[in-house]
Amino acid sequence: MEMVPSEENQLVPKEGMLWSCRQSIFEEMKKKFAQIENAAEEPRVLCIIQDTTNAKTVNERLTLNLPASTSLAKLFEDVAHKAGYVNGTFDLTWGNMADMAPLDHGSEMSLTESGFEAGKKNFLQLTDKDGEQPQIASDESGTADSSGLDDSSQDRFIGPLPRDGTTGCSSDYSSPSYSYSSILNKSETGYVGLVNQAMTCYLNSLLQTLFMTPEFRNALYNWEFEESEEDPVTSIPYQLQRLFVLLQTSKKRAIETTDVTRSFGWDSSEAWQQHDVQELCRVMFDALEQKWKQTEQADLINQLYQGKLKDYVRCLECSYESWRIDTYLDIPLVIRPFGSTQAFGSVEEALQAFIQPETLDGPNQYFCERCKKKCDARKGLRFLHFPYLLTLQLKRFDFDYTTMHRIKLNDRMTFPEELDMSPFIDVEDEKSPQTESCTDSGAENEGSCHSDQMSNDFSTDDGVDEGICLDNTSSTERTLKPKSSLTFELFSVMVHSGSAAGGHYYACIKSFSDGQWYSFNDQHVSKITQDDIRKTYGGSSGTRGYYSSAFASSTNAYMLIYRLKDPSRNAKYLDVEDFPEHIKRLVQKEKESEEQEKRQREIERNTCKIKLFCMHPVKMMMVENKLEVHKDKTLKEAVEIAYKLMDLEALVPLDCCRLVKYDEFHEYLERSYEGEEDTPMGLLLGGVKSSYMFDLLLETRRPDQVFQPYKPGEVMVKVHVVALKSETIAPPVSVRAYLNQTVTEFKQLIAQATGLSAETMRVVLERCYNDLRLLYVPNKTLKAEGFFRSNKVFVESSDSTDHQVTFTDSLLWKLLDRHGNTIRLFVSLPEQAPGSLAGRTLCQKAGGEPGEAFEGPKGSRKSVEAILEESTEKLKNLSLQQQEEQQGSSASDSQKSSDASDFEHIESPSQEADSAPSVSAADNRDLENRIRAASGSGGGGGTSDPENPFPSEERSDSDVNNDRSTSSVDSDILSSSHSSDTLCNADSGPLPLAGGLCGADGAPLPLANGLDSHSITSSRRSKAHEGKKETWDTAEEDSGTDSEYDENGKSKAEAQYLYFRAEPCSLEDGSAEGQKCLLVHVDKRITLAAFKQNLEPFVGVSSSQFKVFRVYANNQEFESVRLNETLSSFSDDNKITIRLGRALKKGEYRVKVYQLLVNDPEPCKFLVDSVFAKGMTVRQSKEELLPQLRDQCKLDLSIERFRLRKKTWKNPGTVFLDYHVYEEDINISSNWEVFLEVLDEPEKMKSMSQLAILTRRWRPAHMKLEPFQEVVLESSSVDELKEKLSEISGIPLENLEFAKGRGTFPCDISVLEIHQDLDWNPKVSTLNVWPLYICDDGAVVFYRDKTEEPMELSEEERTELMKKESSRLLKTGHRVSYSPRKEKALKIYLDGGPTKDPGQD
């Protein structure tokens, strides 16, 4: 046997050694498999991380799938490894939260404990830590692959990145040669970005360019701000100085520009205005010059940016030259010359074209002062002096006259890194011998270069030449600079990405300290190369041509800034050590401010912010606030903070308060924190989060009470005790139970809490707010019955026999059903002044004379209380009479109809109320007492409770169930303890309940008070009795009408009894004193018809004589007209206004009548509101209108001398003939509008085949339009139209021309435009074809005599006429000509803001 040494250097058999090795390997594999199996069983958390620290990584995602038990510290390690960052140099925040609180990178809490959800996507953002970008992990191999990144990171974008949403394409700048390790963060570039406020990228680009200009930055640092002379907030140089100091010294990745824009006088709206960067440059330089007056920097802008040029005209015959010298701040270079199909290829070409003279010949000849005649001449520009900082604007924005829109030219234009300007300088002396005319505009017009290719708004004022040369040489020496001194180097390219309608600016800037190019794209700063600069040339890879711009990249250079290469004058950036003393003080001040901000941010980062609720012990209402507590504060300290936050110091002792975990949505107390008073809040709440899935409740108790412990897993039950005898539903008692408890155990629990007997107890669970479930299976668990975290149950325990009947037929069900469907409404009744109803047709008794309905002024005046009491007694007597009839033999339908009619024609109490004075507050109280006394005398004996028995509970409209099936609720569920508790009956109208609610023994049961504050809410489905007759409004539906009435004009009510109770109240919204108001409790399943009938005794007229308006939150009122619909869309505390006036019957429509005045400045005038009915003829409606027009509009018309016609907005349409029938020949709808037109002669329109045209003659010789005349055609023939026009005008047929009017009636048009702008004499034979399309009455046709020449107008006459026409057309609401919306002008206000005209408010 072969022996081998073992680990202990003992000889063992070789076979044993192999077996031992195999055994150990097997054990290791077994452990591995066990770990894999356990990991597979453990839930996993999917983390998707977005790196927002760099513009190149913001569009990429890192994905980690970790076990749920992974700690937060391990998560940070894995993210650091995968992203290639040093752990601890970045933060992770929740990506889907509004205010992102970072996660604790050192926490050992598991992912699930920290709020991560297993099995779902958890979105995180990787952000800067303390404003500094994360550090790149060092990589020995020098490659990015070892960092764990996927392959896509190799193609990260390096160059300038267009903003999201612009038309720029990032692929234009992709640089595949770069790896992730070459992406530079802020600390490596050394530069700070600027935050884009909204659309301020143009401002950021210019500010970064000025900051990177050493001469401008150093000069700004040398200026010292005197706080005693100016407010620092409005000082533009000071705010720029602060910004530059922050850009140079801040540790932040990006800083805000709001202080700078505030110094401009801009408000927040300016941040949403896009402007041109070149325009901003001009305006800002002008503002700085104004602010720097009488300082050392007064001439800084001119010294750095101002150049000079000569604008000349030279006679080609005698060489005489007239010239002027102007100054400029930038040179605008044309991309594509006007009318050309090809663009310039380079800046040099554009500059050459800029100074290329043009020849003035032919009609454009120049008048030579020397030759004293018009001669051919040469006109052009010459550069005399170039500024130290040369600004070139590439004019990429143009106007396309074919589409009449602004466009952007994306053509390719190259520009050199070094630009030699010596070929473009004028070497001649400024005052050469042959030059005898000179005009010097000076510096009044800064930056305006004046050629045909440039702006032509230069000043013609004579002035002094303020063109400044940077050296001390003479003027002559300055213009004869050697070529070697005119070499400029490019250091800033401002790039525009987008279209003429909008886009994004960013800047590519070269640092003069290291020669490196950087992209300053708002808050992102990164290194770029010369290749990236070349990609801003624009254009496409194809040939240059007219259409090449359309297919080119929209990202291209817009402004170029060059600096003169002169080693003796080229400055360097000031280092921090070399700062002037006042700048050093400013640096220290900003550093302290930044440190304070950092400390505050650290506190915010460690502060838990959570909703806090408290049931106020005095107000007895839930109060909400926001609790902010540091994560290290203990629970005891948090209770004290919440105690003070809720202002409970004088109400409850501190030791009688505690914080519990609370679910406000379900009103559920999740758990209490016994024994955890010293536990930090961060641990209790699960860390600092931007939002929590739960809330906190500050619970209070009386000193003699003990807090009940709340354990996780319990469910909360609100128990309402129902007393059948008094019909009371008590406020809720909170009981906590477990879902695995049985119904029997649950009853025992309720019995302990309420003192009721569990033996006879009935428990009803309200589920989903729309059904009631009786819990009758003893051994069934609460979970099986449908209990949830928060539940509502009703319990009843009595010796009543009510529990023996079926639940849906029981008194308990009826009471709960009514309880759940009752809503509270505030009804404002109309004020009735004395005699206000004298002229109104009131409800009269059958066969009565009209005079009987209204007692004259001499009659007795009764109080409102007496009237309502009398009305109530009448209703009661009628109710008793009908009940007696129902107990006897069944009455015939005619008898029922007669009874209903008798009720409907009860003498209106409002007849006497009209003359009563307005009701005071004391009268209202008396009114309430009398109504209660009157209703109470009917029996029942219920006591009145001044407290509101129907407080509201919030429920959504989606809970509303508009079920019109016949309810099993009958008169037994009502009582007479309050005023006017009535029932609705379709046959007999509203029936007041005299006897109250009857129990099983027939004894009346009075209605009691105290219904729960969380009970009266949205609808609950009513169970319909089988075999009951279907009600009229479910069997009959007429969606085309506004209301539902029977053939006799009486409103129909429901065949089921539904609850209604009203009592006087006063509104708190400042309504007029004395206005009557009712607080109405009503079953929302009642129809509007029945609701109105119940309101009759309070309004004082029958339901057909008043209208119901629903009042919405903004106090807008809309009439409710569909009487067959229920009140299910109403909710608690909705307001209703009652207005007197005839309500619509079935098939009736309210119509607004306007008068058509074709020759008036305002052709549409409102007359009256009227009512038209389905089946009525037009003539009948005209007969109805006559008395209204006479009484209300003082129009005494004959029925033959006016017509009705269709109205479409302001346009007159079809003429309605007398025999037309509404709904058959004429479609009619709610709130319809119609024109009434008074006729000067009998109606000519007799047939629908005729066509009524409104014609108007145009008189070009007099420059005026004659009044409208109507022409009635028998057909749609153009020849007939011309014949009619010739007949009324006398124009020979062969000379007559016509054109259709444009726009809406009266088709106004300026007399200066009508002769050319309309389509005169269209080549058609009929009117109903293109381009006329005259198919209906009311079309406008202009006509003229073609031989009549237009009036010759002088310029003064034309100007005067133009003003008159503009004024006339503006008054009629017609615009003179199309004018697109003007862009808001860019302004910088030197006094801190625009002055507001007080009269403009």
Side-chain angles (χ1 to χ4, degrees), residues 59 78 328 341 427 439 467 647 659 804 1010 1382 1391:
N59 293 321
D78 292 348
Y328 62 89
T341 60
V427 295
T439 304
D647 294 327
L659 286 173
Q804 298 174 359
K1382 293 183 178 180
D1391 55 355

mmCIF file with all atom_site columns, all heavy atoms in Angstrom, residues 59 78 328 341 427 439 467 647 659 804 1010 1382 1391:
data_model
loop_
_atom_site.group_PDB
_atom_site.id
_atom_site.type_symbol
_atom_site.label_atom_id
_atom_site.label_alt_id
_atom_site.label_comp_id
_atom_site.label_asym_id
_atom_site.label_entity_id
_atom_site.label_seq_id
_atom_site.pdbx_PDB_ins_code
_atom_site.Cartn_x
_atom_site.Cartn_y
_atom_site.Cartn_z
_atom_site.occupancy
_atom_site.B_iso_or_equiv
_atom_site.pdbx_formal_charge
_atom_site.auth_seq_id
_atom_site.auth_comp_id
_atom_site.auth_asym_id
_atom_site.auth_atom_id
_atom_site.pdbx_PDB_model_num
ATOM 1  N N   . ASN A 1 59   ? -28.161 59.577  -18.928 1.00 0.00 ? 59   ASN A N   1
ATOM 2  C CA  . ASN A 1 59   ? -29.101 58.763  -19.696 1.00 0.00 ? 59   ASN A CA  1
ATOM 3  C C   . ASN A 1 59   ? -28.855 57.268  -19.547 1.00 0.00 ? 59   ASN A C   1
ATOM 4  O O   . ASN A 1 59   ? -29.478 56.465  -20.241 1.00 0.00 ? 59   ASN A O   1
ATOM 5  C CB  . ASN A 1 59   ? -29.051 59.147  -21.181 1.00 0.00 ? 59   ASN A CB  1
ATOM 6  C CG  . ASN A 1 59   ? -29.570 60.552  -21.411 1.00 0.00 ? 59   ASN A CG  1
ATOM 7  O OD1 . ASN A 1 59   ? -30.535 60.960  -20.770 1.00 0.00 ? 59   ASN A OD1 1
ATOM 8  N ND2 . ASN A 1 59   ? -28.937 61.286  -22.304 1.00 0.00 ? 59   ASN A ND2 1
ATOM 9  N N   . ASP A 1 78   ? -21.526 47.940  -3.645  1.00 0.00 ? 78   ASP A N   1
ATOM 10 C CA  . ASP A 1 78   ? -21.785 47.365  -4.969  1.00 0.00 ? 78   ASP A CA  1
ATOM 11 C C   . ASP A 1 78   ? -21.955 48.453  -6.020  1.00 0.00 ? 78   ASP A C   1
ATOM 12 O O   . ASP A 1 78   ? -21.481 48.319  -7.157  1.00 0.00 ? 78   ASP A O   1
ATOM 13 C CB  . ASP A 1 78   ? -23.040 46.483  -4.913  1.00 0.00 ? 78   ASP A CB  1
ATOM 14 C CG  . ASP A 1 78   ? -22.822 45.232  -4.078  1.00 0.00 ? 78   ASP A CG  1
ATOM 15 O OD1 . ASP A 1 78   ? -21.648 44.943  -3.743  1.00 0.00 ? 78   ASP A OD1 1
ATOM 16 O OD2 . ASP A 1 78   ? -23.808 44.538  -3.744  1.00 0.00 ? 78   ASP A OD2 1
ATOM 17 N N   . TYR A 1 328  ? -18.825 99.876  -33.808 1.00 0.00 ? 328  TYR A N   1
ATOM 18 C CA  . TYR A 1 328  ? -19.567 98.617  -33.702 1.00 0.00 ? 328  TYR A CA  1
ATOM 19 C C   . TYR A 1 328  ? -19.021 97.812  -32.530 1.00 0.00 ? 328  TYR A C   1
ATOM 20 O O   . TYR A 1 328  ? -17.867 97.970  -32.135 1.00 0.00 ? 328  TYR A O   1
ATOM 21 C CB  . TYR A 1 328  ? -19.455 97.812  -35.002 1.00 0.00 ? 328  TYR A CB  1
ATOM 22 C CG  . TYR A 1 328  ? -18.054 97.393  -35.362 1.00 0.00 ? 328  TYR A CG  1
ATOM 23 C CD1 . TYR A 1 328  ? -17.519 96.183  -34.910 1.00 0.00 ? 328  TYR A CD1 1
ATOM 24 C CD2 . TYR A 1 328  ? -17.234 98.199  -36.158 1.00 0.00 ? 328  TYR A CD2 1
ATOM 25 C CE1 . TYR A 1 328  ? -16.227 95.802  -35.223 1.00 0.00 ? 328  TYR A CE1 1
ATOM 26 C CE2 . TYR A 1 328  ? -15.944 97.831  -36.483 1.00 0.00 ? 328  TYR A CE2 1
ATOM 27 C CZ  . TYR A 1 328  ? -15.449 96.627  -36.003 1.00 0.00 ? 328  TYR A CZ  1
ATOM 28 O OH  . TYR A 1 328  ? -14.170 96.245  -36.310 1.00 0.00 ? 328  TYR A OH  1
ATOM 29 N N   . THR A 1 341  ? -28.954 81.003  -53.780 1.00 0.00 ? 341  THR A N   1
ATOM 30 C CA  . THR A 1 341  ? -29.218 79.588  -53.517 1.00 0.00 ? 341  THR A CA  1
ATOM 31 C C   . THR A 1 341  ? -28.045 78.918  -52.846 1.00 0.00 ? 341  THR A C   1
ATOM 32 O O   . THR A 1 341  ? -28.115 77.733  -52.545 1.00 0.00 ? 341  THR A O   1
ATOM 33 C CB  . THR A 1 341  ? -29.534 78.857  -54.830 1.00 0.00 ? 341  THR A CB  1
ATOM 34 O OG1 . THR A 1 341  ? -28.412 78.974  -55.704 1.00 0.00 ? 341  THR A OG1 1
ATOM 35 C CG2 . THR A 1 341  ? -30.780 79.437  -55.496 1.00 0.00 ? 341  THR A CG2 1
ATOM 36 N N   . VAL A 1 427  ? -6.304  100.631 -45.417 1.00 0.00 ? 427  VAL A N   1
ATOM 37 C CA  . VAL A 1 427  ? -4.979  101.203 -45.163 1.00 0.00 ? 427  VAL A CA  1
ATOM 38 C C   . VAL A 1 427  ? -4.931  102.679 -45.523 1.00 0.00 ? 427  VAL A C   1
ATOM 39 O O   . VAL A 1 427  ? -3.929  103.346 -45.288 1.00 0.00 ? 427  VAL A O   1
ATOM 40 C CB  . VAL A 1 427  ? -3.894  100.440 -45.952 1.00 0.00 ? 427  VAL A CB  1
ATOM 41 C CG1 . VAL A 1 427  ? -3.800  99.010  -45.454 1.00 0.00 ? 427  VAL A CG1 1
ATOM 42 C CG2 . VAL A 1 427  ? -4.192  100.461 -47.446 1.00 0.00 ? 427  VAL A CG2 1
ATOM 43 N N   . THR A 1 439  ? -19.131 112.516 -42.234 1.00 0.00 ? 439  THR A N   1
ATOM 44 C CA  . THR A 1 439  ? -20.100 112.508 -41.139 1.00 0.00 ? 439  THR A CA  1
ATOM 45 C C   . THR A 1 439  ? -19.652 111.483 -40.128 1.00 0.00 ? 439  THR A C   1
ATOM 46 O O   . THR A 1 439  ? -19.402 110.339 -40.480 1.00 0.00 ? 439  THR A O   1
ATOM 47 C CB  . THR A 1 439  ? -21.508 112.118 -41.651 1.00 0.00 ? 439  THR A CB  1
ATOM 48 O OG1 . THR A 1 439  ? -21.854 113.014 -42.694 1.00 0.00 ? 439  THR A OG1 1
ATOM 49 C CG2 . THR A 1 439  ? -22.520 112.230 -40.536 1.00 0.00 ? 439  THR A CG2 1
ATOM 50 N N   . GLY A 1 467  ? -14.094 105.926 -31.032 1.00 0.00 ? 467  GLY A N   1
ATOM 51 C CA  . GLY A 1 467  ? -13.400 104.674 -31.228 1.00 0.00 ? 467  GLY A CA  1
ATOM 52 C C   . GLY A 1 467  ? -12.069 104.709 -30.510 1.00 0.00 ? 467  GLY A C   1
ATOM 53 O O   . GLY A 1 467  ? -11.226 105.558 -30.777 1.00 0.00 ? 467  GLY A O   1
ATOM 54 N N   . ASP A 1 647  ? -50.238 73.235  19.610  1.00 0.00 ? 647  ASP A N   1
ATOM 55 C CA  . ASP A 1 647  ? -50.744 74.243  20.550  1.00 0.00 ? 647  ASP A CA  1
ATOM 56 C C   . ASP A 1 647  ? -51.664 73.632  21.606  1.00 0.00 ? 647  ASP A C   1
ATOM 57 O O   . ASP A 1 647  ? -52.791 74.086  21.835  1.00 0.00 ? 647  ASP A O   1
ATOM 58 C CB  . ASP A 1 647  ? -51.498 75.353  19.803  1.00 0.00 ? 647  ASP A CB  1
ATOM 59 C CG  . ASP A 1 647  ? -50.583 76.164  18.914  1.00 0.00 ? 647  ASP A CG  1
ATOM 60 O OD1 . ASP A 1 647  ? -49.410 76.340  19.291  1.00 0.00 ? 647  ASP A OD1 1
ATOM 61 O OD2 . ASP A 1 647  ? -51.026 76.607  17.841  1.00 0.00 ? 647  ASP A OD2 1
ATOM 62 N N   . LEU A 1 659  ? -47.475 59.708  20.672  1.00 0.00 ? 659  LEU A N   1
ATOM 63 C CA  . LEU A 1 659  ? -47.474 59.549  19.222  1.00 0.00 ? 659  LEU A CA  1
ATOM 64 C C   . LEU A 1 659  ? -47.707 58.086  18.875  1.00 0.00 ? 659  LEU A C   1
ATOM 65 O O   . LEU A 1 659  ? -47.076 57.196  19.460  1.00 0.00 ? 659  LEU A O   1
ATOM 66 C CB  . LEU A 1 659  ? -46.146 60.017  18.616  1.00 0.00 ? 659  LEU A CB  1
ATOM 67 C CG  . LEU A 1 659  ? -45.905 61.526  18.553  1.00 0.00 ? 659  LEU A CG  1
ATOM 68 C CD1 . LEU A 1 659  ? -44.482 61.811  18.085  1.00 0.00 ? 659  LEU A CD1 1
ATOM 69 C CD2 . LEU A 1 659  ? -46.909 62.203  17.632  1.00 0.00 ? 659  LEU A CD2 1
ATOM 70 N N   . GLN A 1 804  ? -86.790 39.200  13.874  1.00 0.00 ? 804  GLN A N   1
ATOM 71 C CA  . GLN A 1 804  ? -87.393 37.959  13.372  1.00 0.00 ? 804  GLN A CA  1
ATOM 72 C C   . GLN A 1 804  ? -87.711 38.055  11.881  1.00 0.00 ? 804  GLN A C   1
ATOM 73 O O   . GLN A 1 804  ? -87.863 37.037  11.225  1.00 0.00 ? 804  GLN A O   1
ATOM 74 C CB  . GLN A 1 804  ? -88.667 37.648  14.170  1.00 0.00 ? 804  GLN A CB  1
ATOM 75 C CG  . GLN A 1 804  ? -88.407 37.407  15.660  1.00 0.00 ? 804  GLN A CG  1
ATOM 76 C CD  . GLN A 1 804  ? -89.694 37.236  16.434  1.00 0.00 ? 804  GLN A CD  1
ATOM 77 O OE1 . GLN A 1 804  ? -90.785 37.313  15.860  1.00 0.00 ? 804  GLN A OE1 1
ATOM 78 N NE2 . GLN A 1 804  ? -89.574 36.980  17.741  1.00 0.00 ? 804  GLN A NE2 1
ATOM 79 N N   . GLY A 1 1010 ? -78.855 62.801  16.804  1.00 0.00 ? 1010 GLY A N   1
ATOM 80 C CA  . GLY A 1 1010 ? -77.570 62.206  17.149  1.00 0.00 ? 1010 GLY A CA  1
ATOM 81 C C   . GLY A 1 1010 ? -77.012 61.278  16.113  1.00 0.00 ? 1010 GLY A C   1
ATOM 82 O O   . GLY A 1 1010 ? -76.227 60.397  16.427  1.00 0.00 ? 1010 GLY A O   1
ATOM 83 N N   . LYS A 1 1382 ? -45.972 89.245  -30.956 1.00 0.00 ? 1382 LYS A N   1
ATOM 84 C CA  . LYS A 1 1382 ? -44.617 89.782  -30.844 1.00 0.00 ? 1382 LYS A CA  1
ATOM 85 C C   . LYS A 1 1382 ? -43.893 89.146  -29.674 1.00 0.00 ? 1382 LYS A C   1
ATOM 86 O O   . LYS A 1 1382 ? -44.483 88.867  -28.643 1.00 0.00 ? 1382 LYS A O   1
ATOM 87 C CB  . LYS A 1 1382 ? -44.673 91.301  -30.654 1.00 0.00 ? 1382 LYS A CB  1
ATOM 88 C CG  . LYS A 1 1382 ? -45.191 92.043  -31.882 1.00 0.00 ? 1382 LYS A CG  1
ATOM 89 C CD  . LYS A 1 1382 ? -45.150 93.546  -31.660 1.00 0.00 ? 1382 LYS A CD  1
ATOM 90 C CE  . LYS A 1 1382 ? -45.623 94.292  -32.890 1.00 0.00 ? 1382 LYS A CE  1
ATOM 91 N NZ  . LYS A 1 1382 ? -45.600 95.763  -32.696 1.00 0.00 ? 1382 LYS A NZ  1
ATOM 92 N N   . ASP A 1 1391 ? -32.970 100.500 -12.560 1.00 0.00 ? 1391 ASP A N   1
ATOM 93 C CA  . ASP A 1 1391 ? -33.499 100.922 -11.265 1.00 0.00 ? 1391 ASP A CA  1
ATOM 94 C C   . ASP A 1 1391 ? -34.095 99.759  -10.492 1.00 0.00 ? 1391 ASP A C   1
ATOM 95 O O   . ASP A 1 1391 ? -34.880 99.946  -9.569  1.00 0.00 ? 1391 ASP A O   1
ATOM 96 C CB  . ASP A 1 1391 ? -34.561 102.010 -11.449 1.00 0.00 ? 1391 ASP A CB  1
ATOM 97 C CG  . ASP A 1 1391 ? -35.666 101.570 -12.397 1.00 0.00 ? 1391 ASP A CG  1
ATOM 98 O OD1 . ASP A 1 1391 ? -35.535 100.467 -12.966 1.00 0.00 ? 1391 ASP A OD1 1
ATOM 99 O OD2 . ASP A 1 1391 ? -36.644 102.321 -12.557 1.00 0.00 ? 1391 ASP A OD2 1
#
